[in-house]
């Protein structure tokens, strides 16, 4: 049986260890010890060097006792968002919160703690279990870059779960693909009072382009945003450069391409409207676009063995787990992109990425029971 007190204590201990993205070393060392004490072979990959962090992904191999069982992956991320240093978890009954100055870090320490506790029960109670690969990633919050650096050929598992989503009773099997965009709009610098006619105002070009963009919720499976605007030097200078950063996400690849092109075209069209003849030379505003695929979509079918396994485990506990689509991306997107079949199971974290983040420990316990039951059922074949 899951030991609730031990699970709560581990969660609180992990939350108190600072682990902003690229600074996960202390928590990684703690987890390496934990995994080794449970009988795993642990190694840390070179993702930290690749992303400029102080530690890599923690990968733990549990040999298991049931050679015929399907090897399973269990994964959660070690990093937390800002403000996330010096977190003081405060427990009020079954509700865990921060003191209001920081996030709680239940995203994703709850997933980490659940994985540790489930494997601790397997070990302590000598329960039969198949091979398990545990991956605690770095830098999920920095753009899934720990998972992107993960060499999946080091894993035996080809299917499994990421534990990194909120209210209990859900399994996220679908998530959108996302593009990250940076637009650099070039105008022409001039004195704003003396000779404004010799300038092209890059801020105005950007504003006209943005005003024509469809943004926000585009349709039931597509969203788009311009989130950052940077530019301009002084009130008396016609600005010659603006940088815009934005994104688009969609569950449909076609719609994602369409939306991305639309956003670029709005700016390019605005740029062509701003031209200038100066000393016999022709000037036009210009847009430099840098568009990167942030992550591919996740689309795990309802009849995938891992989804069926989660449903069966929940049923055995008289619970129901619903499969759902999310608008967010997580490590599971990357792992599916790398050829694994991985869904995202909820852990009980709530209002994440805010200082109001909280977690109901009852949800945490339920989620841990589901994970343990998954391991038990998988061993039984
Ligand atoms: Zn997370």
């Amino acid at each position: 049986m899951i030991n609730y007190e031990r699970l709560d204590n581990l969660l609180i201990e992990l939350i108190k260890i600072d682990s902003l993205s690229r600074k996960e070393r202390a928590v990684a060392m703690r987890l390496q010890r934990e995994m080794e004490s449970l009988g795993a072979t642990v190694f840390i990959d070179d993702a930290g060097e690749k992303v400029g962090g102080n530690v890599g992904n923690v990968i733990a191999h549990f040999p298991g006792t049931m050679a015929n069982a399907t090897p399973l992956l269990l994964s959660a991320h070690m990093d937390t968002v800002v403000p996330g240093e010096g977190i003081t978890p405060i427990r009020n009954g079954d509700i865990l919160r921060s003191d209001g100055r920081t996030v709680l870090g239940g995203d994703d320490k709850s997933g980490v703690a659940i994985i540790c506790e489930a494997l601790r029960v397997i070990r302590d109670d000598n329960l039969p279990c198949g091979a398990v690969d545990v991956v605690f990633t770095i830098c999920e919050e920095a753009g899934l870059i720990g998972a992107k650096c993960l060499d999946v050929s080091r894993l035996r598992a080809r299917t499994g779960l990421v534990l990194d989503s909120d209210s209990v009773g859900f399994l996220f099997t679908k998530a959108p693909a996302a593009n990250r965009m940076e637009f650099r709009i070039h105008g022409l610098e001039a004195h704003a009072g003396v000779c404004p006619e010799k300038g092209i105002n890059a801020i105005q070009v950007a504003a006209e382009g943005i005003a024509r963009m469809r943004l926000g919720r585009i349709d039931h499976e597509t969203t788009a945003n311009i989130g950052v605007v940077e530019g301009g030097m002084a009130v008396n200078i016609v600005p010659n450069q603006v940088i815009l950063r934005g994104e688009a996400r969609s569950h449909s690849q076609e719609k994602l391409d369409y939306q991305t092109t639309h956003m670029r075209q709005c700016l390019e069209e605005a740029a062509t409207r701003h031209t200038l003849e100066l000393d016999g030379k022709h000037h036009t505003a210009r847009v430099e676009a840098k568009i990167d695929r942030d992550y591919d979509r996740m689309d795990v079918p309802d009849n995938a063995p891992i989804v069926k396994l989660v449903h069966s485990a929940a049923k055995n506990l008289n619970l129901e787990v619903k499969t759902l689509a999310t608008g967010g991306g997580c490590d599971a997107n990357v792992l599916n992109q790398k050829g694994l079949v991985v869904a995202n199971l909820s852990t009980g974290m709530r209002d994440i990425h805010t200082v109001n983040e909280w977690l109901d420990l009852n949800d945490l316990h339920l989620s841990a029971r589901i994970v343990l039951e998954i391991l038990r059922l998988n061993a039984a074949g």
Side-chain angles (χ1 to χ4, degrees):
M1 278 297 289
I2 294 292
N3 182 327
Y4 297 152
E5 198 185 332
R6 184 170 62 193
L7 172 56
D8 297 349
N9 289 342
L10 179 63
L11 173 64
I12 289 167
E13 181 193 342
L14 294 173
I15 282 174
K16 285 180 177 169
I17 304 175
D18 287 352
S19 62
L20 295 183
S21 303
R22 295 190 173 84
K23 296 179 183 172
E24 302 93 339
R25 186 169 183 81
V27 79
M29 294 299 107
R30 173 68 183 85
L31 291 170
Q32 177 173 17
R33 272 205 333 269
E34 183 75 12
M35 293 290 101
E36 282 170 350
S37 78
L38 295 176
T41 310
V42 181
F43 57 99
I44 293 178
D45 73 8
D46 60 356
E49 289 140 54
K50 289 182 178 158
V51 306
N54 65 5
V55 74
N57 299 307
V58 176
I59 300 159
H61 283 170
F62 289 86
T65 50
M66 307 298 283
N68 291 331
T70 307
L72 284 184
L73 169 75
L74 294 176
S75 181
H77 65 88
M78 297 184 286
D79 62 319
T80 60
V81 294
V82 289
E85 283 175 303
I87 300 175
T88 308
I90 293 172
R91 185 174 179 167
N92 192 345
D94 292 328
I95 304 297
L96 204 59
R97 290 180 189 278
S98 74
D99 62 4
R101 292 179 305 117
T102 65
V103 295
L104 175 64
D107 176 12
D108 189 20
K109 301 279 172 67
S110 56
V112 173
I114 287 167
I115 293 170
C116 293
E117 172 59 23
L119 290 165
R120 167 84 49 197
V121 174
I122 298 276
R123 164 90 168 187
D124 287 0
D125 296 358
N126 268 320
L127 300 177
C129 190
V132 176
D133 293 334
V134 173
V135 177
F136 294 127
T137 58
I138 57 167
C139 291
E140 194 268 355
E141 305 287 6
L144 320 179
I145 53 179
K148 284 176 184 171
C149 292
L150 181 72
D151 176 4
V152 294
S153 70
R154 298 183 105 160
L155 306 179
R156 298 155 299 173
R158 283 293 163 264
T159 190
L161 296 169
V162 162
L163 283 97
D164 186 19
S165 49
D166 46 17
S167 40
V168 145
F170 296 102
L171 181 69
F172 291 96
T173 51
K174 295 180 190 343
N179 283 343
R180 224 171 243 237
M181 306 168 212
E182 184 183 280
F183 301 108
R184 222 167 258 264
I185 294 137
H186 300 278
L188 194 62
E189 203 164 67
H191 192 294
V194 178
C195 53
E197 51 283 296
K198 290 185 179 175
I200 296 175
N201 189 322
I203 290 177
Q204 194 172 19
V205 175
E208 285 177 19
I210 294 170
R212 295 200 174 199
M213 278 180 203
R214 283 177 283 111
L215 295 174
R217 189 168 295 285
I218 307 300
D219 62 32
H220 69 285
E221 52 187 3
T222 312
T223 58
N225 189 45
I226 294 288
V228 176
V229 179
E230 284 171 15
M233 300 285 285
V235 290
N236 60 358
I237 302 172
V238 176
N240 71 343
Q241 182 170 282
V242 174
I243 298 169
L244 304 177
R245 291 196 184 87
E247 61 156 42
R249 306 179 187 208
S250 184
H251 290 275
S252 150
Q253 185 57 52
E254 213 183 336
K255 287 177 178 175
L256 178 62
D257 293 343
Y258 185 84
Q259 175 64 24
T260 305
T261 304
H262 160 73
M263 291 166 78
R264 200 186 62 220
Q265 279 175 350
C266 284
L267 293 166
E268 284 171 349
E269 279 165 22
T272 59
R273 289 194 293 274
H274 290 259
T275 60
L276 180 67
E277 295 295 330
L278 200 61
D279 304 328
K281 220 179 144 201
H282 186 72
H283 296 272
T284 315
R286 179 165 72 75
V287 180
E288 227 181 302
K290 190 169 163 284
I291 293 161
D292 292 312
R293 172 56 52 84
D294 208 359
Y295 43 83
D296 279 342
R297 73 199 180 110
M298 160 167 89
D299 190 5
V300 178
D302 277 350
N303 62 4
I306 186 67
V307 178
K308 289 186 179 167
L309 187 60
V310 172
H311 283 309
S312 307
K315 203 171 156 212
N316 286 359
L317 301 172
N318 284 320
L319 299 167
E320 201 192 352
V321 170
K322 289 198 176 101
T323 56
L324 211 64
T326 167
C330 73
D331 283 345
N333 288 62
V334 176
L335 295 168
N336 281 289
Q337 194 177 333
K338 289 180 186 251
L340 278 69
V341 180
V342 178
N344 181 351
L345 185 69
S346 52
T347 70
M349 59 172 96
R350 303 293 184 96
D351 292 335
I352 58 166
H353 296 199
T354 77
V355 296
N356 300 316
E357 184 188 348
W358 58 283
L359 182 134
D360 185 335
L361 292 169
N362 295 305
D363 287 347
L364 180 84
H365 302 161
L366 270 183
S367 188
R369 287 177 60 202
I370 295 172
V371 171
L372 179 60
E373 184 62 14
I374 287 166
L375 293 174
R376 210 190 57 77
L377 270 182
N378 186 57

